[in-house]
Amino acid sequence: MDRLANSRHAAATARGRMRLFEDGFLYTSTGTESESARHSASLLLALTDAAFEIEAGGQTQRAHALAVRPFVAKRLHACGVPFACIDASTEHPLYRAFAFLPEPGYKVLPPKPSRR
């Protein structure tokens, strides 16, 4: 069962799992299409080489990794794209790091960590 707020599966075979923590949650899914405006901050990470798509603030972006500001109204298109959502609630120590992301309310992150 998909537990993202206002979420609807584009394919009946998509599956998700959630792990709750005191100050957030980890959600993984085999793919979904959802609309939400969560009070929490989120990291969205593709788990394969496929990218997902986000719409927010009148802009659409394809990405493999995103940081999303709290309260951003967004649509996530990840049909057939396995992904993870790491959610930080207002009690999380890193919540404020997300709170001031500029418009459209998300930041595309490098899909892989840089090597130095």
Side-chain angles (χ1 to χ4, degrees):
M1 173 185 249
D2 191 335
R3 296 182 187 199
L4 286 176
N6 301 317
S7 184
R8 62 194 187 302
H9 286 294
T13 59
R15 300 182 59 92
R17 295 185 61 100
M18 179 180 280
R19 173 74 175 159
L20 296 174
F21 300 98
E22 185 175 311
D23 54 3
F25 65 79
L26 169 64
Y27 176 80
T28 59
S29 178
T30 57
T32 194
E33 185 170 329
S34 67
E35 292 182 46
S36 65
R38 303 190 52 79
H39 71 282
S40 53
S42 301
L43 285 175
L44 297 172
L45 308 165
L47 300 177
T48 65
D49 289 336
F52 53 82
E53 189 173 275
I54 188 170
E55 293 178 41
Q59 296 184 27
T60 301
Q61 178 75 47
R62 290 193 61 76
H64 291 90
L66 291 170
V68 183
R69 185 177 70 212
F71 300 105
V72 170
K74 64 191 169 299
R75 295 184 106 176
L76 174 64
H77 302 277
C79 298
V81 179
F83 73 95
C85 174
I86 302 169
D87 186 85
S89 68
T90 56
E91 295 83 24
H92 193 283
L94 297 176
Y95 176 85
R96 289 185 54 80
F98 293 84
F100 301 104
L101 291 173
E103 294 302 326
Y106 61 82
K107 179 178 180 172
V108 176
L109 302 173
K112 296 179 182 176
S114 61
R115 294 182 186 208
R116 293 184 181 208

